[in-house]
Amino acid sequence: MTAKKLQDALRRVEAWPESAQVELAELALEIDEGFSGGVYRATSEELAGIERGLKDAREGRLATDEQVEAAFDKFRRV
């Protein structure tokens, strides 16, 4: 992306609601950490979700291929 495109995008962002601006800023900082060699630290909520997923996998509670395809089909229609 050229600097001009980025500047144009940032000008448009100024008209966004504050909550959307904060979300974009947080995302940009996460991306920047990836370029600066920073280490990602999962939140406690993310870690809890990972643990739930691993537990479900260990217990064999996984979606079938058909269930996964149905979920993708549902969101493709939107």
Side-chain angles (χ1 to χ4, degrees), residues 14 30 35 46 51 61 65 69:
E14 291 175 353
E30 285 180 27
F35 291 115
E46 291 169 326
E51 287 300 322
R61 291 194 303 251
D65 290 343
E69 189 60 35

Side-chain angles (χ1 to χ4, degrees), residues 24-39:
L24 178 63
E26 290 171 354
L27 179 59
L29 291 172
E30 285 180 27
I31 291 170
D32 183 61
E33 285 178 13
F35 291 115
S36 62
V39 175

Side-chain angles (χ1 to χ4, degrees), residues 49-78:
I50 292 167
E51 287 300 322
R52 282 192 306 275
L54 292 173
K55 181 176 183 263
D56 286 345
R58 282 191 302 271
E59 295 173 0
R61 291 194 303 251
L62 304 171
T64 65
D65 290 343
E66 292 78 19
Q67 290 170 319
V68 171
E69 189 60 35
F72 276 109
D73 286 344
K74 177 181 176 182
F75 292 107
R76 282 187 194 119
R77 284 181 254 165
V78 174

